[in-house]
Amino acid sequence: EDVVVTIAGRVKNKRASGSSLFFYDLFADGAKIQIMCQAQYHKVGDFKDEHGRINRGDIMGVKGFIGKSKNGELSVFPSEVKLLSACLHMIPKDRQGLKDTEVRFRKRYLDMMINDQVRTTFHTRARIINYIRHYLDTRGFLEVETPMMNMVPGGATAKPFITHHNELDMDLFMRVAPELYLKMLVVGGLDRVYEIGRNFRNEGMDLTHNPEFTACEFYMAYADYNDLMDITEEMISSMVLNIKGSYKIQYHPEGPEGEAVEIDFTPPWPRLSMVEVIEKSSGTKLNREFETEAARKQLDDLVAKLNLDCPPPRSSARLLDKLCGHYIEDTIVNPAFITEHPQIMSPLAKWHRSKPGLTERFEVFVNTKEICNAYTELNDPVRQLQCFEGQAAAKDAGDDEAQGVDMDFVTALEHGLPPTGGWGCGIDRLTMFLSDKHTIREVILFPAMKPLPK
């Protein structure tokens, strides 16, 4: 009784046993402790008045000694209690819980008060980011920050958000990816750089897409896509082992009530050449000159034959993407690399050193979802400009996800970009797998929500 402790937290439950004994369940930092208030130990203020002010949901402070109740439960026996902050709303009781996802995501603070597992999800997210940071830092990478607002939206095939700069009286684009700036830094002599930050894409919202999301991109001079596959395999498999204690995880793609899928991250992972697998699965030899109308017509006929939905413009790149989804992506459960995408799908990737029409690129898929995208970077300024112009033509033809021409980046390339490998990974999707959540909104603290009707 001579050791005095002072603690504070939120009251989850309050129970009375007569007028001189109150029990509280106090929660703070994910831990719970019982407060056993007896009138005989109370020293500061009137016992009845002090406890009359405190209700379920309030923040209270407690000063007293530690002991055990008759049931043997660790408890604090206070000499003083104080209402620190009142909760003016009725919070759900523990037995009711909070299951309504609309309420949970709009009022994340309430969700975290009631559902303990939410805290665990965001601890897992923080551990993933810290692991990537530590992995890259120990290998000589420098963390940097690049602009969020750009004059030309580049670095990824996506529709940008537009904002307005009043002083300059011009529209700017929220970044869809930091790629072009990071490669400029490699041109400047920072051979290993990375950035973990927000990207913004003005696209649909679904189970795996949020308009703003967190990604890590790194660029490594004198590395190619083969080196990056080895790094990816090592980083992610060791991360899973570190966080989950095993290479094998249980994942519920349909939600907690659905059937569990076992995903095995044990290296090595299979490496699937995109065009070769599509040819093998479809039994069709594809025309590798994908930029020609004959090749586009062949792809269009194959997509039509399979009854795959591909809204216009039905370009070769979009048709190939649909075929890849049908024959490869939808069959993947354990991590796998899809490699050697056609040049027409990869305007920033370097052409393949031995396979015409293809690039040195890969994507990592887990349980049909992409989590990483990487390639040997295109460092020929003439070819890069041609690719940009091809993208600009696609944009003019109605593809609002195509990139524009970034002459500042082309000029930077003219100063000489070393042979470089570039890598990007979506933190949110990785968190979904390691925290067993089937929707991206569960792993973003404040996800995008449609406005409530007035």
Side-chain angles (χ1 to χ4, degrees):
E1 291 186 24
D2 52 352
V3 178
V4 176
V5 296
T6 305
I7 60 171
R10 188 176 296 277
V11 176
K12 280 280 194 78
N13 291 302
K14 178 182 180 180
R15 306 180 301 283
S17 180
S19 61
S20 58
L21 178 60
F22 290 94
F23 294 91
Y24 297 91
D25 289 338
L26 204 65
F27 278 76
D29 266 346
K32 171 201 155 198
I33 191 164
Q34 178 174 270
I35 310 298
M36 194 169 165
C37 305
Q38 293 173 284
Q40 70 196 71
Y41 297 122
H42 192 84
K43 293 177 183 171
V44 181
D46 181 75
F47 182 81
K48 190 175 178 183
D49 284 353
E50 293 292 346
H51 288 286
R53 292 193 194 104
I54 299 170
N55 296 299
R56 209 167 51 82
D58 293 347
I59 306 288
M60 74 181 286
V62 175
K63 188 176 186 180
F65 64 89
I66 294 174
K68 287 192 175 177
S69 66
K70 285 181 183 173
N71 298 335
E73 184 175 349
L74 182 69
S75 306
V76 175
F77 295 80
S79 58
E80 181 183 1
V81 297
K82 201 167 228 51
L83 171 64
L84 300 177
S85 180
C87 175
L88 305 181
H89 295 261
M90 287 291 289
I91 64 169
K93 292 184 176 167
D94 282 350
R95 64 176 178 273
Q96 294 171 307
L98 181 61
K99 300 280 191 292
D100 185 328
T101 53
E102 279 288 310
V103 176
R104 287 183 51 229
F105 299 147
R106 288 184 193 278
K107 299 182 177 178
R108 184 64 93 179
Y109 50 88
L110 190 60
D111 185 27
M112 296 173 86
M113 273 185 223
I114 306 301
N115 298 316
D116 293 336
Q117 75 275 14
V118 176
R119 170 186 293 272
T120 309
T121 298
F122 290 99
H123 273 278
T124 300
R125 182 187 174 99
R127 289 181 70 186
I128 289 169
I129 293 171
N130 287 338
Y131 192 93
I132 292 173
R133 237 185 211 117
H134 179 72
Y135 184 95
L136 295 174
D137 287 346
T138 54
R139 284 157 181 79
F141 283 82
L142 178 71
E143 185 172 10
V144 297
E145 292 173 297
T146 60
M148 290 272 190
M149 295 185 295
N150 310 144
M151 284 192 261
V152 179
T157 303
K159 186 177 180 180
F161 283 96
I162 301 172
T163 186
H164 188 77
H165 194 302
N166 289 341
E167 179 68 23
L168 299 176
D169 191 22
M170 65 183 292
D171 285 344
L172 294 172
F173 301 96
M174 301 299 289
R175 78 168 176 205
V176 292
E179 175 165 340
L180 303 186
Y181 283 109
L182 293 173
K183 285 195 274 198
M184 287 181 188
L185 295 178
V186 180
V187 171
L190 295 179
D191 283 354
R192 296 185 178 196
V193 290
Y194 75 95
E195 181 169 9
I196 298 174
R198 288 280 174 150
N199 296 334
F200 307 87
R201 298 186 182 178
N202 200 351
E203 297 166 351
M205 301 187 310
D206 60 27
L207 290 178
T208 58
H209 292 87
N210 194 66
E212 52 179 306
F213 62 96
T214 304
C216 172
E217 289 198 15
F218 76 71
Y219 291 82
M220 184 176 179
Y222 312 109
D224 66 11
Y225 81 131
N226 291 308
D227 300 314
L228 297 187
M229 277 193 269
D230 295 339
I231 289 172
T232 306
E233 205 169 67
E234 181 190 31
M235 181 201 290
I236 293 180
S237 62
S238 63
M239 177 199 298
V240 172
L241 186 61
N242 178 273
I243 292 173
K244 304 297 286 184
S246 167
Y247 286 123
K248 295 180 180 177
I249 65 169
Q250 294 293 312
Y251 182 66
H252 294 79
E254 305 298 325
E257 291 81 29
E259 200 172 319
V261 173
E262 183 179 82
I263 302 174
D264 187 357
F265 284 84
T266 307
W269 302 343
R271 302 182 179 191
L272 312 169
S273 179
M274 181 196 279
V275 177
E276 289 171 18
V277 175
I278 291 173
E279 286 181 337
K280 186 177 176 184
S281 302
S282 66
T284 307
K285 182 72 178 160
L286 297 180
N287 180 343
R288 297 292 181 97
E289 294 180 358
F290 295 109
E291 65 282 353
T292 64
E293 175 57 26
R296 194 205 68 78
K297 180 77 170 65
Q298 183 190 29
L299 295 169
D300 202 335
D301 292 345
L302 186 52
V303 167
K305 184 174 139 191
L306 294 165
N307 290 322
L308 301 178
D309 179 40
C310 181
R314 290 170 75 93
S315 61
S316 293
R318 289 164 69 93
L319 294 164
L320 279 162
D321 191 48
K322 293 296 175 189
L323 291 170
C324 180
H326 177 73
Y327 285 121
I328 312 176
E329 293 169 14
D330 293 349
T331 67
I332 291 172
V333 177
N334 296 333
F337 295 103
I338 299 176
T339 68
E340 298 167 353
H341 298 59
Q343 283 181 16
I344 201 158
M345 298 177 75
S346 317
L348 296 165
K350 192 161 191 174
W351 61 91
H352 199 285
R353 65 196 76 178
S354 61
K355 297 180 182 178
L358 305 184
T359 58
E360 297 193 349
R361 176 185 173 192
F362 70 82
E363 293 175 303
V364 178
F365 274 76
V366 178
N367 200 54
T368 75
K369 301 289 184 283
E370 178 206 337
I371 58 168
C372 293
N373 182 27
Y375 35 80
T376 308
E377 299 295 337
L378 179 57
N379 59 348
D380 179 332
V382 176
R383 285 227 194 178
Q384 181 63 79
L385 183 57
Q386 288 169 354
C387 289
F388 276 156
E389 286 168 346
Q391 286 281 300
K395 198 178 191 73
D396 294 340
D399 186 349
D400 56 10
E401 293 187 347
Q403 301 173 47
V405 179
D406 189 332
M407 287 310 300
D408 286 346
F409 178 66
V410 175
T411 303
L413 283 192
E414 288 171 353
H415 288 75
L417 173 69
T420 298
W423 180 93
C425 174
I427 302 294
D428 308 296
R429 288 190 190 171
L430 205 48
T431 307
M432 286 170 63
F433 287 117
L434 296 196
S435 58
D436 192 13
K437 300 297 178 192
H438 75 295
T439 163
I440 197 168
R441 297 199 297 180
E442 290 281 8
V443 301
I444 294 174
L445 280 167
F446 299 99
M449 304 289 287
K450 290 177 182 171
L452 288 168
K454 291 183 180 176

